[in-house]
């Protein structure tokens, strides 16, 4: 039987653009993983892999017109959005190159012998080494930043780990083009192109996480798909780390004082955030707790005015469109749920943005309204109108883990007045990033960034964005009483590479 064909599809029309590849067989996956494993030594030199990351960024920049055109044809995300995303991706590659050059991520710690300690301390030298080949599962909604050349790939390569990427079926041609750029960058620097592999197909994804030479995995996608792969990673004869980003409601609390102070501004800002990218951001605000009463009414009217003028949009594929339409229909049919602006199907290939309102009391206890506490992928949010702080607390206590949680405060509350600190204390256990007077859409690439959260937002405590994303692909090793001549240069007393290190409990200067 011949392998299934992989087609590039235009979501604006639902028509096939052309065949891109064929789905990988088990033998194909085995070949890709073994080639990556054999190439891992090529990434041992930090100087070389930093240069590789920079060259990859340069080549992505040079090919941006073709890459953006292909991605737009497969995702309908639009050239402006994709231009920014590709620029972000290139910046991220270069940021990891800088991190590799600096070397602090190796976390070198040296303790010289101390016979006076209890018990005595021998000579101990600790650093971090790459895990091995990493499986990367590309995301649908970010064809660059969370796909083939995205954060999981960039951070794994920076750690010294080859990658095999399972392409997302929504943008296979973009995946092939991006992989070709990364492999060309490797070849130009004398590295094996096999440090980056690419496979297509659902079964290939299953085979990949089970392959004995895969040392770790990174995933961005649905709760259902991510949990299945997470369970498979744990059930292996040798379990491996699985860093999955699965789903997030991203709650927003708007205090009564904040609504009274700037209802219209908050309503307009919420509209922009929930419809950004047609609501297909993993950090889209999906549940908003807004006060009942006049100030809350003004906020809802402002939100309605802004959302009503939002143009119909195309989702990433028709399966997502069907799921969106089914999801909003189910939610809108619940008792006491109203739709000031009705979300749902637009033309044959589009959807309409909208939002639902419900009394917060309906969400404070188990019942049919629980579906409103689940993520609905697309341009919709739920505004729960609360009567008092107890209702806010009751709803927050029922939420699962999230990537983000946001609170909008008045100027007085932001200065320390009222119960602002208590609200922050309630939100902190729910999310990996807590925002004040902002919107969660947009994840800056910065050293202090954290893009993760309690389950089901992610399956680990790590981040997939920012400098510390590299830590997912490393493990610590300590050498004890090892002769200097046998130590890696990074651990020798003379520090020939000039690394930042901690020696005998103090930072080495």
């Amino acid at each position: 039987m011949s392998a299934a064909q992989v087609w590039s599809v235009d979501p604006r029309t639902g028509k096939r653009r052309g065949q891109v590849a064929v789905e990988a067989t088990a033998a194909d996956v085995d070949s890709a993983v073994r080639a990556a494993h054999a190439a891992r030594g090529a990434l041992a030199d930090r100087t070389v892999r930093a240069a590789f990351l920079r060259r990859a960024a340069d080549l992505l920049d040079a090919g941006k017109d073709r890459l953006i055109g292909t991605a737009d044809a497969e995702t309908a995300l639009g050239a402006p959005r994709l231009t920014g995303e590709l620029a972000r991706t290139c910046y991220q590659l270069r940021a990891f190159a800088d991190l590799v050059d600096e070397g602090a991520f190796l976390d070198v710690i040296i303790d010289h012998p101390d016979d006076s300690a209890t018990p005595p301390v021998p000579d101990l030298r600790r650093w971090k080494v790459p895990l091995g080949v990493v499986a990367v599962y590309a995301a649908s909604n970010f064809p660059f930043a969370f796909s083939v050349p995205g954060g999981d790939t960039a951070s794994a390569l920076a750690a010294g780990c080859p990658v095999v990427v399972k392409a997302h079926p929504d943008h296979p041609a973009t995946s092939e083009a991006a992989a070709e750029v990364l492999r060309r960058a490797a070849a130009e620097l004398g590295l094996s192109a096999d440090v980056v592999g690419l496979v297509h197909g659902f079964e290939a994804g299953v085979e990949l996480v089970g392959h004995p030479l895969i040392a770790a995995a990174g995933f961005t996608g649905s709760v259902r798909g991510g949990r299945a792969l997470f369970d498979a990673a744990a059930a292996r004869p040798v379990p491996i780390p699985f860093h999955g980003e699965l789903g997030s409601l991203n709650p927003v609390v708007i205090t009564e004082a904040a609504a009274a102070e700037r209802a219209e501004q908050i309503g307009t800002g919420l509209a922009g955030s929930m419809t950004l990218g047609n609501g297909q951001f993993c950090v889209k605000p999906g549940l908003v707790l807004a006060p009942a009463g006049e100030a809350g009414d003004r906020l809802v009217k402002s939100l309605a005015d802004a959302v009503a003028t939002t143009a119909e949009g195309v989702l990433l594929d028709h399966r997502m469109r069907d799921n969106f339409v089914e999801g909003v229909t189910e939610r809108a049919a619940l008792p006491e749920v109203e739709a000031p602006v009705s979300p749902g199907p637009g033309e044959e290939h589009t959807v309409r943005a909208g939002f639902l309102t419900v009394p917060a009391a309906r969400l404070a206890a188990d019942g049919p309204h629980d579906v409103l506490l689940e993520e609905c992928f697309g341009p919709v949010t739920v505004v729960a109108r609360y009567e008092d702080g107890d209702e806010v607390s009751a709803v927050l206590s029922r939420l699962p883990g999230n990537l983000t949680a946001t609170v909008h405060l008045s100027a007085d509350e932001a200065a320390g007045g009222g119960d602002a600190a208590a609200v922050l204390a309630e939100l902190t256990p729910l999310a990996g990033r807590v925002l004040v007077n902002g919107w969660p859409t947009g994840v800056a690439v910065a050293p202090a960034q954290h893009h993760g959260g309690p389950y089901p937002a992610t399956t680990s405590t790590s981040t997939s964005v920012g400098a510390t994303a590299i830590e997912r692909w490393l493990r610590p090793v300590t050498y004890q009483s090892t002769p200097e001549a046998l130590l890696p240069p990074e651990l020798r007393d003379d520090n020939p590479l000039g690394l930042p290190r901690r020696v005998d409990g103090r930072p080495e200067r």
Side-chain angles (χ1 to χ4, degrees):
M1 182 182 294
S2 61
Q5 297 174 332
V6 175
W7 292 84
S8 175
V9 177
D10 183 347
R12 294 183 175 97
T13 64
K15 295 180 179 179
R16 289 176 169 179
R17 299 177 59 246
Q19 183 184 346
V20 173
V22 295
E23 294 188 355
T25 64
D28 294 330
V29 173
D30 180 64
S31 177
V33 174
R34 290 188 182 280
H37 182 73
R40 67 194 187 285
L43 296 174
D45 188 316
R46 287 191 300 117
T47 301
V48 172
R49 68 179 188 257
F52 167 40
L53 293 170
R54 292 191 179 96
R55 187 57 182 154
D58 291 345
L59 291 179
L60 288 170
D61 268 340
K64 63 183 178 182
D65 291 343
R66 178 174 68 95
L67 289 164
I68 290 167
T70 302
D72 182 44
E74 291 188 307
T75 66
L77 289 172
R81 148 69 196 275
L82 291 166
T83 299
E85 184 185 330
L86 184 58
R88 175 192 192 278
T89 302
C90 294
Y91 175 84
Q92 184 166 244
L93 285 162
R94 295 181 177 113
F96 276 115
D98 292 343
L99 188 75
V100 171
D101 279 339
E102 189 248 0
F105 74 96
L106 295 170
D107 197 20
V108 176
I109 304 174
I110 296 174
D111 288 321
H112 290 106
D114 183 358
D115 291 336
S116 67
T118 307
V121 175
D123 188 276
L124 299 171
R125 298 171 188 244
R126 182 186 190 271
W127 70 330
K128 291 181 178 177
V129 299
L131 289 174
V133 183
V134 171
V136 172
Y137 293 81
S140 63
N141 54 342
F142 285 88
F144 299 124
F146 286 84
S147 291
V148 173
D152 285 349
T153 296
S155 57
L157 292 172
C161 297
V163 300
V164 177
V165 183
K166 189 273 179 186
H168 197 281
D170 279 354
H171 48 261
T174 307
S175 298
E176 286 285 343
E180 187 276 330
V181 169
L182 296 183
R183 290 169 66 86
R184 179 154 50 96
E188 287 185 7
L189 289 167
L191 301 174
S192 169
D194 291 327
V195 295
V196 177
L198 182 70
V199 295
H200 297 265
F202 175 83
E203 291 300 328
V206 176
E207 290 287 339
L208 192 58
V209 78
H211 196 286
L213 293 180
I214 289 293
F219 171 91
T220 303
S222 68
V223 173
R224 181 180 177 184
R227 183 53 194 256
L229 291 170
F230 173 79
D231 290 345
R236 291 167 38 125
V238 178
I240 58 171
F242 184 89
H243 301 283
E245 179 192 322
L246 310 188
S248 185
L249 194 61
N250 305 300
V252 177
V253 175
I254 301 166
T255 67
E256 189 166 3
E261 183 179 83
R262 56 182 197 285
E264 290 75 15
Q265 178 186 342
I266 293 172
T268 301
L270 173 58
S273 185
M274 59 155 284
T275 61
L276 187 64
N278 291 322
Q280 298 175 111
F281 276 49
C282 51
V283 288
K284 178 201 75 176
L287 175 69
V288 181
L289 287 153
E294 184 271 338
D297 290 345
R298 286 192 290 117
L299 188 155
V300 169
K301 182 181 184 305
S302 174
L303 174 63
D305 291 345
V307 173
T309 62
T310 301
E312 293 181 4
V314 176
L315 298 188
L316 293 162
D317 62 37
H318 282 63
R319 177 185 58 82
M320 292 183 188
R321 181 182 183 273
D322 292 343
N323 289 341
F324 173 77
V325 172
E326 180 182 337
V328 296
T329 300
E330 177 187 7
R331 288 161 171 79
L334 292 168
E336 294 190 77
V337 172
E338 298 180 359
V341 179
S342 295
E347 300 297 327
E348 183 180 2
H349 304 290
T350 63
V351 297
R352 296 190 317 274
F355 69 99
L356 308 173
T357 62
V358 65
R362 282 286 193 174
L363 306 179
D366 291 346
H369 290 74
D370 284 358
V371 70
L372 298 174
L373 302 180
E374 298 174 6
E375 180 183 14
C376 186
F377 195 72
V380 65
T381 196
V382 174
V383 180
R385 306 291 300 275
Y386 66 84
E387 296 290 342
D388 54 37
D390 289 341
E391 285 191 354
V392 172
S393 296
V395 174
L396 292 179
S397 71
R398 304 193 64 237
L399 297 186
N402 291 269
L403 294 170
T404 71
T406 300
V407 60
H408 279 264
L409 305 172
S410 68
D412 178 67
E413 290 171 323
D419 297 325
V423 177
L424 280 175
E426 284 189 281
L427 293 179
T428 298
L430 294 177
R433 179 162 58 106
V434 179
L435 297 88
V436 177
N437 290 348
W439 298 106
T441 38
V443 184
V445 178
Q449 184 59 271
H450 187 84
H451 189 62
Y455 185 85
T458 52
T459 59
S460 72
T461 59
S462 301
T463 179
S464 61
V465 180
T468 55
I470 196 173
E471 294 174 0
R472 297 173 296 168
W473 321 121
L474 299 162
R475 68 177 182 88
V477 174
T478 292
Y479 292 93
Q480 179 172 329
S481 303
T482 303
E484 179 99 354
L486 300 181
L487 287 170
E490 291 85 353
L491 300 182
R492 295 175 187 168
D493 279 333
D494 59 353
N495 195 8
L497 303 179
L499 293 175
R501 310 190 304 184
R502 192 169 187 86
V503 178
D504 295 331
R506 297 176 180 275
E508 186 175 67
R509 300 187 185 279

